[in-house]
Amino acid sequence: MVIYDIFASIPTTTKWYKGLCRATEISHIVEVLCLLGLTMVSSREYKPVHENFFITFMVMSLINMLLTNIEVYLSKGKPWCDFNTEERYYQRLFLGVFLFNISAFFISLYFYFRHNIYCEPGIYTCYAFFEYLVVLSNIGFHVLEVAQFKNRLFMAGLSVSLGKTD
């Protein structure tokens, strides 16, 4: 919700920008809920549920990364050629991590299906390696989301009223 509040508060001329921010936040929430489901239901316990959590997690993760890339670009309110050095740096990082993640995901799918069809030695190891790259790049992407706001102060806590209430 914090990232949504920050991006949604940025003035922009794009009419659908706030809707984009909301869609990005919803995809992020669903992604996290599916990740929670993946940790609670192992593939050995109940494979169909685990698979559904994984598929939804990956779809929402990729949607979230795509929408965040669009959001970061539009939040600047200017063409890419007018970005300053830091803005270009973060835009390139976001795009690079997204492309790395989606590439690793499709390569892992290749090895997953190859393992399930042919059951060749070492192929599951290749699948697992690329799956770890997907997870690490996903974590890296979300770290970038916070890192771009390095000059902001984030506070969490309860609001307490010090005045009298009758």
Side-chain angles (χ1 to χ4, degrees):
M1 295 292 223
V2 174
I3 302 292
Y4 168 77
D5 291 339
I6 291 169
F7 273 112
S9 68
I10 296 171
T12 180
T13 57
T14 307
K15 294 178 183 178
W16 45 271
Y17 178 75
K18 285 203 191 283
L20 172 71
C21 292
R22 178 64 64 198
T24 305
E25 186 62 25
I26 289 169
S27 68
H28 186 120
I29 291 169
V30 174
E31 173 190 354
V32 170
L33 290 174
C34 288
L35 191 57
L36 182 63
L38 279 169
T39 61
M40 295 176 69
V41 180
S42 78
S43 59
R44 291 183 184 196
E45 280 180 69
Y46 199 57
K47 191 174 181 176
V49 171
H50 186 83
E51 281 180 351
N52 286 331
F53 276 133
F54 178 74
I55 291 167
T56 308
F57 164 74
M58 279 311 302
V59 168
M60 288 296 116
S61 172
L62 294 173
I63 288 172
N64 178 262
M65 288 185 193
L66 175 65
L67 295 180
T68 299
N69 269 285
I70 296 168
E71 195 176 74
V72 168
Y73 178 78
L74 291 176
S75 70
K76 306 304 179 213
K78 55 189 171 186
W80 193 83
C81 59
D82 292 338
F83 281 17
N84 66 36
T85 305
E86 186 177 12
E87 290 169 336
R88 282 185 185 191
Y89 173 76
Y90 278 107
Q91 186 68 49
R92 284 182 177 149
L93 273 177
F94 273 111
L95 186 58
V97 173
F98 170 64
L99 293 174
F100 180 85
N101 182 275
I102 198 167
S103 299
F105 173 63
F106 283 116
I107 293 169
S108 75
L109 277 180
Y110 165 75
F111 285 119
Y112 175 79
F113 286 114
R114 186 170 163 182
H115 166 73
N116 283 340
I117 294 170
Y118 302 111
C119 205
E120 299 169 296
I123 296 300
Y124 191 82
T125 303
C126 294
Y127 160 72
F129 173 74
F130 281 97
E131 205 48 37
Y132 276 111
L133 292 179
V134 169
V135 169
L136 291 174
S137 60
N138 183 283
I139 292 168
F141 190 87
H142 291 299
V143 167
L144 275 176
E145 281 185 301
V146 175
Q148 71 176 331
F149 300 112
K150 65 182 175 212
N151 296 328
R152 291 204 181 229
L153 175 65
F154 292 99
M155 295 175 57
L158 298 173
S159 176
V160 178
S161 175
L162 299 175
K164 279 187 166 183
T165 57
D166 294 325

